[in-house]
Amino acid sequence: MGKTIKLISGDGEMFEVEEAVAFQSNIIKSLADEDNADDCIPLPRVDSQILSKVLEFCRKHANSPSVHTKFAAIPSELCPKHDGSAAGASSSESSSAHSETCRACYDAVMKLVQWDLEFVKVDLDLIHHLLKAANYLDIEDLMFMAVEGAANAIRGNNPEEIRKLFDLENDFTPEEEKEILKEYSWLDDPFEP
Amino acid sequence: MGLEDFPSPILVDILSRVGDSTDLARCRLTCRTLRSLSYEARSIRLFCSRERALRSSVPGTVDLHPAFKSVVCNLASLLSSVHSPLSLSLAAERPDCVPAGEIDDGDELYFTDSPFLSRWIPLISARLQSLSIHDYWLQSCWRPSRALPLISIFCSELLNLEIRNAWLSVKELMPMQTLTSLNLNYIRLDDENLEKVNECFPSLRVLNLIDVGGLKEPKIQLLQLRTFTWTVSNFVVSLTVDAPKLVELKLTCVEPKAVHLQTPLLLNLDITIKKVKVIKVDKLHNLRVLRVESSQLGNLSQVFAESRTIKRLEMELYEPACVINTEQCSVSLSDTFPDIEELTIGEKAWFLLPQIVRIKGELVSLKKLVVHESTTELDGAIISSKLSILVHSHVCQVVMVIPATAPIEGRVCAISKCINDFPNIRWEFVTKEIK
């Protein structure tokens, strides 16, 4: 093992991991850069169960190109950054011309994406905690995939199902509800809410 | 698991990723927070299937099934009250097959229709960073659209534009200084030499012209262009690319009379071209990766390889073996590409290998070889003799792509002959589906 970092979860458990794994978190990286070379880094807002899941993700991503910027390992003139917008499809097509150059990188990223998608196919409670942890620890790739997990849970579901999944309360007043239904009826096909 | 625990930016991230307008509309019905945040989604896609379009065109059902175009306009008016940047994508389901000459004179899926666009684009133009319209060819192919000029007037801050399956006019097109990415796919363009494109999109860094017809002597002259993919489906008189910062070019054409490339910084070139009479290429000092597919493999290789900087080469014949002129297709690898580290041979080229490749001495830098076998009757002896032409002392890795339909016995035989005859190589055998 190379240089390691010691992390302490909110419930007092100690995790020792390689720098490359821990430094995926920009927060951990900046905390470690300060003088406490031998001390442990406390993470009071993340408990051990979640931290171990986060570290599992980071271990997998430690030496791979960032999923978020698809071809991060290749010089930027050759590989445009994936921008995730609606026109994202076109930017990935323009990068089909890149695929010969970046094939190895592209294949590695695709494999990683598949692993990530399985990783976030978990219950929503865990996604909730992963989103919070990714936000708190500032881990770009984990945030990217946790958002994907949450978005996937929303897709194709009706409003009642979405409310159940995310523990939401229907807080519209009866007047508001009428207004929204009217708005909804001229927005899209009628659907029984 | 309260979603309210999350800061709004993360909720907006999630809603942006959901993207589909129907899913977002359902989110709007859940609670107040999601309703107001849904308008801030950064990326929204509206998709109209043919079934949906047909449903709303049944007479007397307008109240039950609002026309898709009204849905778009209504959504735009709801989105106009928010100020965050927006990427919008509008797409019609593609027809299963497009019988030649068939048209549909309906309007429900004709998205590049300017009266339709002028109803909603101005409402959100201040927010729009990215716009993508996939039109319905059967309704758009028979009439020219003023979509481009209209977008150029209203969306002066646009960064990315994509239009597919339409007939586009460029009359009165205004300059779009901020546009860095343009994607035209399956378009009839009334700009036969691309003059208006050059004039009005000066800041383009990424350009894709895929199956853009209506061109005669097209010339791309763009100072900022970095990446260009150009597929020319009809016959043009000449093709010119003048792009001083271009790093990557993928060009596919059939038989233009002339090709001019003024792209001194090119790193990566992928060119598929059956034949050309005149080809002028400013010396490519930095070219590292070349893929060339042509019936004039010999000539073209020499033209592109002038600077001897190429490290990765892929060569393929344009036409199958029976048709080619072996003299024009013959490549002297040791003279033209002495420093290559990686070589890929396409199916048709591999089939004719001994006749189209000349090597004097050894390719001293060659480390990796990729070959595409096309025959299903694999003959280990023939494969081995072809490989011995190419596998020199420094080659350490060979990838052989074998058709999926090759019978297992022949495959095993060929593989074991390869491994026996070339024991110091790291072998990889990959199966390829026959298209």
Side-chain angles (χ1 to χ4, degrees), chain B residues 19 23 48 78 83 96 110 173 180 188 222 262 297 370 435:
Chain B
D23 287 325
C48 186
L78 288 174
H83 302 289
D96 286 327
Y110 179 35
L173 182 64
T180 53
R188 178 175 160 179
L222 290 168
Q262 290 158 264
L297 214 51
V370 179
K435 286 197 196 122

Side-chain angles (χ1 to χ4, degrees), chain A residues 85 87 90 93 97-98 100-101 124 128 144 148 155-156 163 166 171 176 180 183 186-187 189-190, chain B residues 1 6 17 23 28-30 32 35 39 43 55 64 71 74 87 130 162 164 183 208 248 268 312:
Chain A
S85 66
S90 64
E93 278 199 47
H98 300 281
E100 292 315 305
T101 325
L124 278 175
H128 181 205
F144 188 84
E148 183 63 32
R155 288 179 191 130
R163 275 191 215 116
F166 291 93
D171 54 356
E176 279 174 329
I180 301 172
E183 193 183 280
W186 45 258
L187 266 189
D189 284 350
Chain B
M1 180 194 134
F6 289 105
R17 194 73 65 82
D23 287 325
R28 240 170 259 134
L29 287 175
T30 54
R32 278 189 181 156
R35 180 190 181 193
Y39 299 123
S43 170
R55 243 188 293 150
L64 273 180
V71 168
N74 293 334
S87 292
S130 197
E162 174 178 336
R164 291 196 193 199
N183 202 318
N208 292 325
E248 184 159 337
N268 187 339
R312 283 173 52 178

Side-chain angles (χ1 to χ4, degrees), chain B residues 63-113:
Chain B
D63 288 333
L64 273 180
H65 300 292
F68 185 75
K69 284 186 171 182
S70 315
V71 168
V72 175
C73 297
N74 293 334
L75 180 63
S77 69
L78 288 174
L79 293 173
S80 59
S81 54
V82 176
H83 302 289
S84 49
L86 175 67
S87 292
L88 189 77
S89 165
L90 198 59
E93 186 184 345
R94 289 178 61 181
D96 286 327
C97 57
V98 185
E102 184 170 310
I103 63 160
D104 178 341
D105 57 6
D107 269 349
E108 334 63 74
L109 290 175
Y110 179 35
F111 294 153
T112 48
D113 186 24

Side-chain angles (χ1 to χ4, degrees), chain B residues 198-213:
Chain B
N198 292 322
E199 181 195 323
C200 298
F201 306 122
S203 314
L204 283 185
R205 291 174 67 104
V206 176
L207 177 60
N208 292 325
L209 298 176
I210 316 258
D211 293 326
V212 174

Side-chain angles (χ1 to χ4, degrees), chain B residues 162-182:
Chain B
E162 174 178 336
I163 305 187
R164 291 196 193 199
N165 311 324
W167 177 356
L168 299 176
S169 153
V170 293
K171 225 168 93 176
E172 287 161 2
L173 182 64
M174 301 293 287
M176 296 182 75
Q177 302 291 351
T178 53
L179 200 75
T180 53
S181 167
L182 178 64

Side-chain angles (χ1 to χ4, degrees), chain B residues 343-373:
Chain B
L343 175 63
T344 301
I345 311 266
E347 285 182 3
K348 303 184 206 79
W350 177 251
F351 188 75
L352 280 181
L353 189 74
Q355 292 152 269
I356 60 165
V357 150
R358 297 188 312 274
I359 304 184
K360 263 184 293 200
E362 281 207 346
L363 294 169
V364 292
S365 310
L366 188 63
K367 296 196 194 64
K368 179 174 172 184
L369 188 60
V370 179
V371 302
H372 289 80
E373 179 62 71

